[in-house]
Amino acid sequence: MIELRDVRKFYRSGSGKAEILRGVNLRVEPGEYVAIMGKSGSGKSTMLNLLGTLDLLDSGTYELAGKSVHKMSRGRRARLRNEEVGFVFQHFQLIPNLSVYQNVLLPLTYGRKRLRRKKSRVLALLDEMGISNKKNQKPDRLSGGEKQRVAIARALVNEPRLILADEPTGSLDEETTESILKLFDRVHKNGATIIVITHDIEVAERAERILYLQNGVLV
């Protein structure tokens, strides 16, 4: 599903540049559930952005679902991202002036499915997430756990093969965290590949494999 070879990433810092990722090698098989841990500044978010094709590596190679991401144009990366990747963020990233239904529908507006199929897909996911009764509400009327369920539904709506989650339970209480982790367990059981960035060992231990990013290197 994923293969990184000797990936390096730099950011400009004043008159020089700082190396954030220092020769990362990673292979993730289809259907794996992987957690990546590390201290703040270790390069976790940078790595997630690269995996999600939101950013470009400076050297090395990246293959996603058999496609060479590092050779793609911006347009091809955007299409690949929409078709293959679902994102779940700590702060939900929901659009405040759209309803729950509209937020989940949004990724499908770029696809080719017929409107009827799009509607049925969104409604089925809202039901699966236990929030079908909230479909007409705006995000500011929801609890943190409900917002994260909406974010997960939005991540799944295009039926991506890869789910990338950045601290998905970081702003949730213990009970809500457990319910969200059970949703991830179910998504993984249904065949999705999941990569979770987290600082919480209890979240990481739900994965099949835990990796540590230290000073830009996987150890």
Side-chain angles (χ1 to χ4, degrees):
M1 184 68 189
I2 284 175
E3 186 154 8
L4 301 180
R5 298 189 192 96
D6 196 26
V7 166
R8 297 176 184 273
K9 181 66 182 177
F10 301 90
Y11 284 116
R12 295 288 173 187
S13 177
S15 58
K17 60 183 180 180
E19 190 173 19
I20 307 300
L21 298 179
R22 307 166 185 264
V24 170
N25 293 287
L26 173 65
R27 184 179 180 88
V28 178
E29 300 294 339
E32 263 200 286
Y33 189 166
V34 177
I36 299 176
M37 302 190 73
K39 295 180 179 179
S40 296
S42 62
K44 300 190 305 298
S45 293
T46 298
M47 188 165 169
L48 199 76
N49 287 338
L50 290 177
L51 291 172
T53 78
L54 294 170
D55 202 353
L56 285 174
L57 49 83
D58 288 311
S59 67
T61 63
Y62 174 25
E63 290 190 4
L64 171 61
K67 301 176 181 70
S68 297
V69 175
H70 57 286
K71 296 180 180 179
M72 290 182 179
S73 66
R74 180 181 296 181
R76 284 190 64 200
R77 289 199 316 273
R79 287 194 297 273
L80 179 69
R81 184 164 59 245
N82 189 55
E83 293 168 0
E84 300 284 359
V85 185
F87 293 91
V88 181
F89 301 99
Q90 176 180 356
H91 299 296
F92 321 123
Q93 306 287 21
L94 302 178
I95 298 176
N97 62 329
L98 297 183
S99 68
V100 165
Y101 174 87
Q102 291 167 328
N103 266 281
V104 177
L105 178 68
L106 193 59
L108 290 175
T109 60
Y110 305 103
R112 299 175 182 175
K113 292 180 180 177
R114 292 183 178 180
L115 182 59
R116 183 178 297 176
R117 286 192 62 198
K118 291 178 181 180
K119 288 181 176 180
S120 63
R121 174 66 179 159
V122 172
L123 294 174
L125 272 174
L126 293 178
D127 187 55
E128 184 180 347
M129 296 294 131
I131 50 174
S132 57
N133 61 326
K134 307 286 185 178
K135 65 181 180 181
N136 295 320
Q137 292 193 15
K138 299 290 177 62
D140 64 356
R141 302 291 302 275
L142 305 178
S143 68
E146 289 168 342
K147 289 177 183 177
Q148 196 59 292
R149 287 169 182 268
V150 176
I152 294 171
R154 183 183 58 189
L156 296 176
V157 74
N158 259 345
E159 300 177 88
R161 289 190 282 177
L162 174 63
I163 303 297
L164 299 176
D166 189 4
E167 299 286 3
T169 62
S171 57
L172 304 178
D173 60 42
E174 187 175 340
E175 183 178 350
T176 307
T177 291
E178 178 61 23
S179 70
I180 295 301
L181 291 178
K182 285 180 178 177
L183 282 176
F184 276 105
D185 291 342
R186 190 190 316 164
V187 170
H188 174 239
K189 189 175 180 179
N190 289 338
T193 304
I194 301 178
I195 299 179
V196 175
I197 299 289
T198 183
H199 68 279
D200 187 334
I201 187 62
E202 292 184 8
V203 173
E205 285 177 342
R206 302 294 278 260
E208 299 169 315
R209 184 159 55 119
I210 302 175
L211 306 174
Y212 293 87
L213 198 57
Q214 183 175 327
N215 296 323
V217 179
L218 282 174
V219 297

